[in-house]
Amino acid sequence: MGMIEFSMESLRSLETFVGDRRTLRLCALLSLIATIVIYTIPYICGQLLNIMIDNDSKGMIDVNLIVQVCTLVVLMIVMWYVAMTESKHRISKISLDTSKRMREEMNSRMMKAPISFLESMPPGDLSSRFTNDLPAVTNLISSDYTGFITHFTMLIAIIVMMFITSPIMAILYILIVPVIIILVKHLTNESQEGFERQKTMISDLNTQMNDIISSHKSIKVDDLEKRMMDDFKDSNRRFTDAYFTSHSRSGMIKPVIGTMVNVGYLIVVIAGAILLVKDLISVGMFLTFMIYVRIVTGPIMTTSNIYNGMRDRMLSLNRVMEILNAPIEEHDGNERIDIKGRVEFKDVTFHYRDGPDVLHSVSFTIEPGRMTALVGATASGKTTISNILMGFYQPSSGTIEIDGVNRNDIDQDILHRSMASVLQDPWMFDGTLRENIIYNRPWISEEEMLKVSRFVGLDDFVLRLPMGYDTPVNEEILKLPLAQRRMLAMARALIGDPKIIVLDESVAGIDPISGQTIIEGLKKFSKDRTVILITHNQAVIDQADDVIHILDGRIVD
């Protein structure tokens, strides 16, 4: 029941992304008109047949009547074609526009969502929602919505025409409908669990593939190929089982409906023969009714298939809506101050999600223009402090002040311009070296970029490249060594002239010469800025003006 309620809530949310609802209703109306028109034709032909039989018994043929009826039928077919074509054309445009809006909103939510929300989902699951679930939602709008309305309307129209043609035969045929509904509902409920597990398992497979690709070298070095293959086989087997369960049950729906339709066909043939003998139905209406019996199979089958497919796509809609309804980080700060760089933690306590506290009443002050090293054992809380300072997480209790003002009260634009960080594994995107350095700052001049690149020691490396700063950065053309990635990330951070910069293991894992170049650049840079170093490197610690020791989430002397 919860899934149904969630799906209805998701459908209501989906309506907000449909820009032109008027056109959507027009499409439904056009489908309704087309359905009524096309299924009135057999009834008209049946009446014509009765008239021709009566005239034949009198030895006459009304050619004019035949021409008039044929003209009417042709016009009705043209009307049906125009209505259906226009409806499908308009609904395709609506579905594409809706999909575009949803894709943009999903990306926007991802950008604005708290880090804690994104970390609660495996990367493979997030990408699966974009690549698998969103296209399924597009199909839900373009195919399922109009398809279900069209074929369900067809079904109702045919049943209405059956009652108009022969109420007795219609009642006999309708008796099989409750049996079909019960059987289809039973099979659909059985397949639902499989569809839900299938969605979960495809996300797990995507996550495993991401891990295998990103950690390929480590897997090779640590001889983990067999273990990773076994894990993947196990996940693949569970996905296959879920797929088989859902599709084997849903695949039974069509044969079951076909069988029951044929049973109904047999019933009405027998009943029709009796009615003909007793002269309770005309030949024309009997043949018309049998036409309706044969063509009703299509809408029944299609409606059940669409309904069954909608169950799967509704799961996709729910998964997409989880992203679209993700919480947004609230930034209410509006104080516009000239940041000098004084940082103060006051009794800051923090825990990740529902875990234990990793920081315990942490308090310290860093004065402007000082280079301060945060040192301590692995997992002592150093990186957590930098993450909270940069605003990736909010403390569980306590406050963080910058120049005496609560960090949350400062205007976010000022904070973004005044603070920068260089992470342990610097992020690069596909583009040139120049684009990676200037990233999101188009106003930076060439001279400023070159000055910062020389400052961090990157310029010598770049000038040795044939294309210089126009060299593309990607796995195929240029994969930057770790030292140069760190230098590039530092150049990107420094080019905005921030007053506070956090460097997380900036020289870890790189050669001593490159490390010394970075350290010397840092010393020059910190002259009138606040630099926070997270490091285990003694050479870096020796360059610091102050050292803060952290042990198990606490400041120690």
Side-chain angles (χ1 to χ4, degrees), residues 272-326:
I274 295 172
L275 293 175
L276 276 173
V277 170
K278 294 183 175 294
D279 202 25
L280 295 176
I281 188 173
S282 65
V283 174
M285 290 298 98
F286 174 74
L287 292 176
T288 299
F289 193 92
M290 297 312 297
I291 291 173
Y292 284 132
V293 169
R294 295 315 296 173
I295 62 177
V296 78
T297 307
I300 291 177
M301 293 280 196
T302 306
T303 302
S304 64
N305 287 340
I306 291 175
Y307 176 73
N308 194 45
M310 284 177 69
R311 298 287 289 265
D312 182 29
R313 292 183 180 114
M314 288 300 290
L315 292 173
S316 292
L317 176 61
N318 290 342
R319 285 165 53 80
V320 167
M321 285 301 166
E322 283 180 8
I323 302 295
L324 293 173
N325 294 327

Short mmCIF file of all heavy atoms in Angstrom, two decimals, residues 272-326:
data_model
loop_
_atom_site.label_atom_id
_atom_site.label_comp_id
_atom_site.label_asym_id
_atom_site.label_seq_id
_atom_site.Cartn_x
_atom_site.Cartn_y
_atom_site.Cartn_z
N GLY A 272 -24.96 -16.35 -30.16
CA GLY A 272 -25.38 -15.67 -31.39
C GLY A 272 -26.13 -16.59 -32.33
O GLY A 272 -27.11 -16.17 -32.98
N ALA A 273 -25.67 -17.83 -32.44
CA ALA A 273 -26.35 -18.80 -33.31
C ALA A 273 -27.78 -19.03 -32.83
O ALA A 273 -28.72 -19.10 -33.64
CB ALA A 273 -25.56 -20.11 -33.34
N ILE A 274 -27.93 -19.16 -31.50
CA ILE A 274 -29.28 -19.36 -30.93
C ILE A 274 -30.16 -18.15 -31.22
O ILE A 274 -31.34 -18.28 -31.61
CB ILE A 274 -29.18 -19.63 -29.42
CG1 ILE A 274 -28.45 -20.96 -29.16
CG2 ILE A 274 -30.58 -19.65 -28.78
CD1 ILE A 274 -28.13 -21.22 -27.69
N LEU A 275 -29.62 -16.95 -31.02
CA LEU A 275 -30.38 -15.72 -31.26
C LEU A 275 -30.77 -15.58 -32.73
O LEU A 275 -31.87 -15.09 -33.06
CB LEU A 275 -29.59 -14.50 -30.80
CG LEU A 275 -29.34 -14.37 -29.29
CD1 LEU A 275 -28.43 -13.20 -28.98
CD2 LEU A 275 -30.67 -14.23 -28.53
N LEU A 276 -29.86 -16.00 -33.64
CA LEU A 276 -30.17 -15.93 -35.07
C LEU A 276 -31.32 -16.87 -35.43
O LEU A 276 -32.23 -16.51 -36.18
CB LEU A 276 -28.93 -16.30 -35.90
CG LEU A 276 -27.93 -15.17 -36.19
CD1 LEU A 276 -26.68 -15.73 -36.86
CD2 LEU A 276 -28.56 -14.10 -37.09
N VAL A 277 -31.26 -18.08 -34.86
CA VAL A 277 -32.31 -19.07 -35.14
C VAL A 277 -33.66 -18.57 -34.65
O VAL A 277 -34.69 -18.73 -35.31
CB VAL A 277 -31.95 -20.42 -34.49
CG1 VAL A 277 -33.14 -21.38 -34.56
CG2 VAL A 277 -30.74 -21.04 -35.17
N LYS A 278 -33.64 -17.92 -33.47
CA LYS A 278 -34.90 -17.42 -32.90
C LYS A 278 -35.26 -16.04 -33.46
O LYS A 278 -36.21 -15.41 -32.99
CB LYS A 278 -34.79 -17.37 -31.38
CG LYS A 278 -34.67 -18.74 -30.74
CD LYS A 278 -34.63 -18.64 -29.21
CE LYS A 278 -34.63 -20.01 -28.57
NZ LYS A 278 -35.89 -20.75 -28.80
N ASP A 279 -34.47 -15.54 -34.42
CA ASP A 279 -34.71 -14.25 -35.07
C ASP A 279 -34.72 -13.09 -34.07
O ASP A 279 -35.49 -12.13 -34.19
CB ASP A 279 -36.05 -14.29 -35.83
CG ASP A 279 -36.08 -13.23 -36.94
OD1 ASP A 279 -34.97 -12.85 -37.41
OD2 ASP A 279 -37.17 -12.78 -37.31
N LEU A 280 -33.80 -13.20 -33.06
CA LEU A 280 -33.68 -12.15 -32.06
C LEU A 280 -32.54 -11.19 -32.37
O LEU A 280 -32.31 -10.22 -31.64
CB LEU A 280 -33.47 -12.77 -30.66
CG LEU A 280 -34.65 -13.59 -30.13
CD1 LEU A 280 -34.30 -14.23 -28.80
CD2 LEU A 280 -35.89 -12.69 -29.98
N ILE A 281 -31.80 -11.47 -33.45
CA ILE A 281 -30.72 -10.60 -33.87
C ILE A 281 -30.58 -10.71 -35.38
O ILE A 281 -30.79 -11.79 -35.95
CB ILE A 281 -29.38 -10.97 -33.17
CG1 ILE A 281 -28.31 -9.90 -33.48
CG2 ILE A 281 -28.90 -12.35 -33.58
CD1 ILE A 281 -27.02 -10.09 -32.68
N SER A 282 -30.27 -9.60 -36.03
CA SER A 282 -30.11 -9.63 -37.48
C SER A 282 -28.72 -10.14 -37.85
O SER A 282 -27.80 -10.16 -37.02
CB SER A 282 -30.30 -8.21 -38.05
OG SER A 282 -29.27 -7.35 -37.59
N VAL A 283 -28.59 -10.56 -39.11
CA VAL A 283 -27.30 -11.07 -39.59
C VAL A 283 -26.24 -9.96 -39.51
O VAL A 283 -25.10 -10.20 -39.09
CB VAL A 283 -27.42 -11.59 -41.04
CG1 VAL A 283 -26.05 -11.97 -41.60
CG2 VAL A 283 -28.37 -12.78 -41.10
N GLY A 284 -26.63 -8.75 -39.91
CA GLY A 284 -25.68 -7.64 -39.89
C GLY A 284 -25.17 -7.34 -38.50
O GLY A 284 -23.96 -7.14 -38.29
N MET A 285 -26.08 -7.33 -37.49
CA MET A 285 -25.66 -7.04 -36.12
C MET A 285 -24.86 -8.19 -35.52
O MET A 285 -23.96 -7.98 -34.71
CB MET A 285 -26.89 -6.74 -35.25
CG MET A 285 -27.57 -5.42 -35.59
SD MET A 285 -26.51 -3.95 -35.34
CE MET A 285 -25.91 -3.65 -37.02
N PHE A 286 -25.19 -9.43 -35.93
CA PHE A 286 -24.42 -10.59 -35.44
C PHE A 286 -22.97 -10.49 -35.94
O PHE A 286 -22.01 -10.66 -35.17
CB PHE A 286 -25.06 -11.90 -35.91
CG PHE A 286 -24.23 -13.11 -35.57
CD1 PHE A 286 -24.15 -13.58 -34.27
CD2 PHE A 286 -23.51 -13.77 -36.56
CE1 PHE A 286 -23.38 -14.70 -33.96
CE2 PHE A 286 -22.74 -14.88 -36.27
CZ PHE A 286 -22.67 -15.34 -34.96
N LEU A 287 -22.80 -10.21 -37.22
CA LEU A 287 -21.46 -10.08 -37.78
C LEU A 287 -20.72 -8.88 -37.17
O LEU A 287 -19.52 -8.96 -36.89
CB LEU A 287 -21.53 -9.93 -39.30
CG LEU A 287 -22.02 -11.18 -40.07
CD1 LEU A 287 -22.13 -10.87 -41.56
CD2 LEU A 287 -21.05 -12.35 -39.84
N THR A 288 -21.45 -7.80 -36.95
CA THR A 288 -20.84 -6.63 -36.31
C THR A 288 -20.34 -6.97 -34.91
O THR A 288 -19.23 -6.60 -34.51
CB THR A 288 -21.85 -5.48 -36.23
OG1 THR A 288 -22.26 -5.10 -37.55
CG2 THR A 288 -21.26 -4.27 -35.53
N PHE A 289 -21.17 -7.71 -34.15
CA PHE A 289 -20.78 -8.08 -32.80
C PHE A 289 -19.53 -8.96 -32.82
O PHE A 289 -18.64 -8.79 -31.98
CB PHE A 289 -21.93 -8.82 -32.10
CG PHE A 289 -21.72 -8.96 -30.62
CD1 PHE A 289 -22.21 -8.00 -29.74
CD2 PHE A 289 -21.02 -10.04 -30.08
CE1 PHE A 289 -22.00 -8.11 -28.37
CE2 PHE A 289 -20.81 -10.16 -28.73
CZ PHE A 289 -21.31 -9.19 -27.86
N MET A 290 -19.47 -9.89 -33.77
CA MET A 290 -18.31 -10.79 -33.86
C MET A 290 -17.04 -10.00 -34.22
O MET A 290 -15.94 -10.34 -33.77
CB MET A 290 -18.56 -11.89 -34.88
CG MET A 290 -19.73 -12.82 -34.53
SD MET A 290 -19.68 -13.40 -32.80
CE MET A 290 -18.15 -14.33 -32.80
N ILE A 291 -17.21 -8.94 -35.02
CA ILE A 291 -16.06 -8.08 -35.32
C ILE A 291 -15.56 -7.42 -34.03
O ILE A 291 -14.36 -7.38 -33.76
CB ILE A 291 -16.44 -7.00 -36.37
CG1 ILE A 291 -16.67 -7.67 -37.73
CG2 ILE A 291 -15.34 -5.93 -36.47
CD1 ILE A 291 -17.20 -6.70 -38.78
N TYR A 292 -16.52 -6.92 -33.22
CA TYR A 292 -16.13 -6.28 -31.97
C TYR A 292 -15.44 -7.29 -31.04
O TYR A 292 -14.49 -6.94 -30.33
CB TYR A 292 -17.35 -5.67 -31.27
CG TYR A 292 -17.82 -4.38 -31.88
CD1 TYR A 292 -19.16 -4.18 -32.18
CD2 TYR A 292 -16.92 -3.36 -32.17
CE1 TYR A 292 -19.60 -2.98 -32.75
CE2 TYR A 292 -17.36 -2.17 -32.74
CZ TYR A 292 -18.69 -1.99 -33.03
OH TYR A 292 -19.11 -0.80 -33.60
N VAL A 293 -15.91 -8.52 -31.03
CA VAL A 293 -15.30 -9.55 -30.18
C VAL A 293 -13.85 -9.79 -30.59
O VAL A 293 -12.97 -9.96 -29.74
CB VAL A 293 -16.11 -10.87 -30.25
CG1 VAL A 293 -15.34 -12.02 -29.59
CG2 VAL A 293 -17.46 -10.69 -29.56
N ARG A 294 -13.60 -9.81 -31.89
CA ARG A 294 -12.22 -10.05 -32.36
C ARG A 294 -11.31 -8.86 -32.08
O ARG A 294 -10.16 -9.03 -31.69
CB ARG A 294 -12.22 -10.37 -33.87
CG ARG A 294 -12.91 -11.66 -34.26
CD ARG A 294 -12.54 -12.83 -33.37
NE ARG A 294 -11.13 -13.20 -33.45
CZ ARG A 294 -10.54 -14.09 -32.67
NH1 ARG A 294 -11.24 -14.71 -31.72
NH2 ARG A 294 -9.28 -14.38 -32.80
N ILE A 295 -11.83 -7.64 -32.30
CA ILE A 295 -10.95 -6.48 -32.12
C ILE A 295 -10.80 -6.06 -30.66
O ILE A 295 -9.87 -5.32 -30.33
CB ILE A 295 -11.42 -5.27 -32.96
CG1 ILE A 295 -12.80 -4.80 -32.53
CG2 ILE A 295 -11.40 -5.60 -34.44
CD1 ILE A 295 -13.28 -3.57 -33.29
N VAL A 296 -11.69 -6.52 -29.78
CA VAL A 296 -11.57 -6.16 -28.36
C VAL A 296 -10.33 -6.81 -27.74
O VAL A 296 -9.80 -6.33 -26.72
CB VAL A 296 -12.84 -6.55 -27.58
CG1 VAL A 296 -12.86 -8.06 -27.28
CG2 VAL A 296 -12.92 -5.77 -26.27
N THR A 297 -9.84 -7.89 -28.35
CA THR A 297 -8.65 -8.57 -27.82
C THR A 297 -7.46 -7.62 -27.79
O THR A 297 -6.70 -7.61 -26.81
CB THR A 297 -8.30 -9.79 -28.70
OG1 THR A 297 -9.45 -10.62 -28.82
CG2 THR A 297 -7.16 -10.58 -28.09
N GLY A 298 -7.30 -6.81 -28.85
CA GLY A 298 -6.16 -5.88 -28.93
C GLY A 298 -6.13 -4.90 -27.78
O GLY A 298 -5.12 -4.82 -27.06
N PRO A 299 -7.19 -4.12 -27.53
CA PRO A 299 -7.18 -3.19 -26.40
C PRO A 299 -7.00 -3.86 -25.04
O PRO A 299 -6.33 -3.31 -24.17
CB PRO A 299 -8.56 -2.51 -26.49
CG PRO A 299 -8.92 -2.61 -27.93
CD PRO A 299 -8.37 -3.91 -28.40
N ILE A 300 -7.61 -5.06 -24.87
CA ILE A 300 -7.44 -5.77 -23.59
C ILE A 300 -5.98 -6.11 -23.37
O ILE A 300 -5.40 -5.87 -22.31
CB ILE A 300 -8.33 -7.03 -23.54
CG1 ILE A 300 -9.80 -6.66 -23.46
CG2 ILE A 300 -7.94 -7.89 -22.33
CD1 ILE A 300 -10.74 -7.84 -23.48
N MET A 301 -5.36 -6.71 -24.40
CA MET A 301 -3.96 -7.11 -24.32
C MET A 301 -3.06 -5.89 -24.09
O MET A 301 -2.19 -5.88 -23.21
CB MET A 301 -3.53 -7.82 -25.61
CG MET A 301 -4.19 -9.16 -25.83
SD MET A 301 -3.38 -10.42 -24.84
CE MET A 301 -4.01 -11.89 -25.66
N THR A 302 -3.27 -4.86 -24.91
CA THR A 302 -2.42 -3.68 -24.84
C THR A 302 -2.57 -2.96 -23.52
O THR A 302 -1.58 -2.52 -22.91
CB THR A 302 -2.73 -2.72 -26.00
OG1 THR A 302 -2.64 -3.43 -27.24
CG2 THR A 302 -1.75 -1.57 -26.03
N THR A 303 -3.82 -2.82 -23.05
CA THR A 303 -4.06 -2.14 -21.77
C THR A 303 -3.38 -2.88 -20.63
O THR A 303 -2.74 -2.26 -19.76
CB THR A 303 -5.58 -2.04 -21.49
OG1 THR A 303 -6.21 -1.33 -22.56
CG2 THR A 303 -5.84 -1.31 -20.18
N SER A 304 -3.48 -4.22 -20.63
CA SER A 304 -2.84 -5.00 -19.56
C SER A 304 -1.32 -4.91 -19.66
O SER A 304 -0.63 -4.80 -18.64
CB SER A 304 -3.28 -6.46 -19.63
OG SER A 304 -2.85 -7.06 -20.84
N ASN A 305 -0.77 -4.93 -20.89
CA ASN A 305 0.68 -4.81 -21.06
C ASN A 305 1.19 -3.45 -20.60
O ASN A 305 2.23 -3.35 -19.94
CB ASN A 305 1.07 -5.03 -22.53
CG ASN A 305 0.95 -6.48 -22.96
OD1 ASN A 305 0.95 -7.39 -22.12
ND2 ASN A 305 0.84 -6.72 -24.25
N ILE A 306 0.44 -2.40 -20.97
CA ILE A 306 0.84 -1.05 -20.56
C ILE A 306 0.76 -0.92 -19.04
O ILE A 306 1.66 -0.38 -18.40
CB ILE A 306 -0.05 0.01 -21.24
CG1 ILE A 306 0.25 0.06 -22.74
CG2 ILE A 306 0.17 1.38 -20.61
CD1 ILE A 306 -0.67 0.99 -23.51
N TYR A 307 -0.32 -1.46 -18.47
CA TYR A 307 -0.48 -1.40 -17.01
C TYR A 307 0.67 -2.12 -16.32
O TYR A 307 1.23 -1.63 -15.34
CB TYR A 307 -1.82 -2.00 -16.60
CG TYR A 307 -2.02 -2.06 -15.11
CD1 TYR A 307 -2.29 -0.91 -14.39
CD2 TYR A 307 -1.93 -3.26 -14.41
CE1 TYR A 307 -2.46 -0.94 -13.02
CE2 TYR A 307 -2.10 -3.31 -13.04
CZ TYR A 307 -2.37 -2.15 -12.35
OH TYR A 307 -2.53 -2.20 -10.99
N ASN A 308 1.02 -3.29 -16.85
CA ASN A 308 2.11 -4.06 -16.26
C ASN A 308 3.43 -3.31 -16.40
O ASN A 308 4.24 -3.26 -15.47
CB ASN A 308 2.22 -5.42 -16.95
CG ASN A 308 3.08 -6.39 -16.17
OD1 ASN A 308 2.95 -6.50 -14.97
ND2 ASN A 308 3.96 -7.07 -16.86
N GLY A 309 3.66 -2.70 -17.59
CA GLY A 309 4.88 -1.91 -17.78
C GLY A 309 4.89 -0.67 -16.91
O GLY A 309 5.95 -0.23 -16.45
N MET A 310 3.72 -0.10 -16.68
CA MET A 310 3.64 1.09 -15.83
C MET A 310 4.07 0.80 -14.41
O MET A 310 4.65 1.67 -13.74
CB MET A 310 2.21 1.65 -15.84
CG MET A 310 1.86 2.40 -17.12
SD MET A 310 0.15 2.97 -17.14
CE MET A 310 0.18 4.23 -15.88
N ARG A 311 3.81 -0.42 -13.94
CA ARG A 311 4.25 -0.77 -12.58
C ARG A 311 5.76 -0.66 -12.47
O ARG A 311 6.29 -0.12 -11.49
CB ARG A 311 3.79 -2.20 -12.25
CG ARG A 311 2.30 -2.43 -12.25
CD ARG A 311 1.66 -1.78 -11.04
NE ARG A 311 2.00 -2.48 -9.82
CZ ARG A 311 1.25 -3.43 -9.25
NH1 ARG A 311 0.12 -3.79 -9.83
NH2 ARG A 311 1.61 -3.99 -8.12
N ASP A 312 6.46 -1.14 -13.49
CA ASP A 312 7.91 -1.06 -13.50
C ASP A 312 8.37 0.39 -13.61
O ASP A 312 9.28 0.83 -12.90
CB ASP A 312 8.45 -1.88 -14.68
CG ASP A 312 9.97 -1.89 -14.72
OD1 ASP A 312 10.60 -1.78 -13.65
OD2 ASP A 312 10.52 -2.00 -15.83
N ARG A 313 7.71 1.15 -14.49
CA ARG A 313 8.13 2.53 -14.69
C ARG A 313 7.74 3.42 -13.52
O ARG A 313 8.36 4.46 -13.29
CB ARG A 313 7.54 3.06 -16.00
CG ARG A 313 8.16 2.38 -17.21
CD ARG A 313 7.67 2.91 -18.52
NE ARG A 313 8.31 2.21 -19.61
CZ ARG A 313 7.71 1.41 -20.48
NH1 ARG A 313 6.40 1.21 -20.36
NH2 ARG A 313 8.36 0.81 -21.43
N MET A 314 6.69 3.03 -12.78
CA MET A 314 6.34 3.79 -11.59
C MET A 314 7.44 3.66 -10.54
O MET A 314 7.71 4.60 -9.78
CB MET A 314 5.00 3.31 -11.02
CG MET A 314 3.79 3.71 -11.84
SD MET A 314 3.61 5.49 -12.00
CE MET A 314 3.16 5.91 -10.34
N LEU A 315 8.08 2.50 -10.48
CA LEU A 315 9.23 2.34 -9.59
C LEU A 315 10.35 3.30 -10.00
O LEU A 315 11.00 3.91 -9.16
CB LEU A 315 9.74 0.89 -9.62
CG LEU A 315 8.81 -0.17 -9.02
CD1 LEU A 315 9.37 -1.55 -9.27
CD2 LEU A 315 8.64 0.06 -7.53
N SER A 316 10.56 3.41 -11.33
CA SER A 316 11.56 4.35 -11.83
C SER A 316 11.18 5.79 -11.47
O SER A 316 12.03 6.59 -11.08
CB SER A 316 11.71 4.22 -13.35
OG SER A 316 12.27 2.99 -13.70
N LEU A 317 9.89 6.11 -11.59
CA LEU A 317 9.42 7.45 -11.24
C LEU A 317 9.67 7.73 -9.76
O LEU A 317 10.12 8.83 -9.40
CB LEU A 317 7.93 7.58 -11.56
CG LEU A 317 7.27 8.91 -11.16
CD1 LEU A 317 7.93 10.08 -11.89
CD2 LEU A 317 5.77 8.88 -11.46
N ASN A 318 9.40 6.75 -8.91
CA ASN A 318 9.66 6.93 -7.47
C ASN A 318 11.14 7.21 -7.22
O ASN A 318 11.50 8.07 -6.39
CB ASN A 318 9.23 5.69 -6.70
CG ASN A 318 7.71 5.53 -6.68
OD1 ASN A 318 6.98 6.48 -6.92
ND2 ASN A 318 7.25 4.33 -6.39
N ARG A 319 12.01 6.48 -7.91
CA ARG A 319 13.45 6.65 -7.71
C ARG A 319 13.91 8.03 -8.21
O ARG A 319 14.78 8.66 -7.61
CB ARG A 319 14.22 5.53 -8.43
CG ARG A 319 14.14 4.20 -7.71
CD ARG A 319 14.58 3.04 -8.60
NE ARG A 319 15.88 3.25 -9.20
CZ ARG A 319 17.05 3.05 -8.59
NH1 ARG A 319 17.06 2.64 -7.33
NH2 ARG A 319 18.20 3.23 -9.23
N VAL A 320 13.34 8.49 -9.32
CA VAL A 320 13.67 9.82 -9.82
C VAL A 320 13.18 10.89 -8.84
O VAL A 320 13.88 11.87 -8.56
CB VAL A 320 13.06 10.04 -11.22
CG1 VAL A 320 13.13 11.51 -11.63
CG2 VAL A 320 13.78 9.18 -12.26
N MET A 321 11.96 10.68 -8.30
CA MET A 321 11.40 11.66 -7.38
C MET A 321 12.18 11.74 -6.07
O MET A 321 12.17 12.78 -5.40
CB MET A 321 9.93 11.34 -7.10
CG MET A 321 9.00 11.69 -8.25
SD MET A 321 9.11 13.45 -8.65
CE MET A 321 8.31 13.49 -10.24
N GLU A 322 12.85 10.66 -5.69
CA GLU A 322 13.70 10.71 -4.50
C GLU A 322 14.81 11.74 -4.67
O GLU A 322 15.20 12.43 -3.72
CB GLU A 322 14.30 9.33 -4.21
CG GLU A 322 13.32 8.36 -3.58
CD GLU A 322 13.95 7.01 -3.31
OE1 GLU A 322 15.19 6.89 -3.47
OE2 GLU A 322 13.23 6.07 -2.95
N ILE A 323 15.33 11.84 -5.92
CA ILE A 323 16.34 12.86 -6.19
C ILE A 323 15.70 14.24 -6.28
O ILE A 323 16.21 15.22 -5.71
CB ILE A 323 17.08 12.55 -7.51
CG1 ILE A 323 17.74 11.17 -7.46
CG2 ILE A 323 18.12 13.62 -7.82
CD1 ILE A 323 18.84 11.05 -6.45
N LEU A 324 14.57 14.32 -6.98
CA LEU A 324 13.91 15.62 -7.16
C LEU A 324 13.36 16.19 -5.85
O LEU A 324 13.15 17.39 -5.74
CB LEU A 324 12.78 15.49 -8.18
CG LEU A 324 13.22 15.19 -9.62
CD1 LEU A 324 12.02 14.91 -10.51
CD2 LEU A 324 14.03 16.35 -10.18
N ASN A 325 13.11 15.31 -4.87
CA ASN A 325 12.63 15.76 -3.56
C ASN A 325 13.75 15.78 -2.52
O ASN A 325 13.48 15.87 -1.32
CB ASN A 325 11.49 14.86 -3.08
CG ASN A 325 10.25 14.96 -3.94
OD1 ASN A 325 9.96 16.04 -4.47
ND2 ASN A 325 9.53 13.87 -4.12
N ALA A 326 14.99 15.68 -2.99
CA ALA A 326 16.12 15.69 -2.07
C ALA A 326 16.17 17.02 -1.32
O ALA A 326 15.79 18.07 -1.85
CB ALA A 326 17.43 15.48 -2.84
#
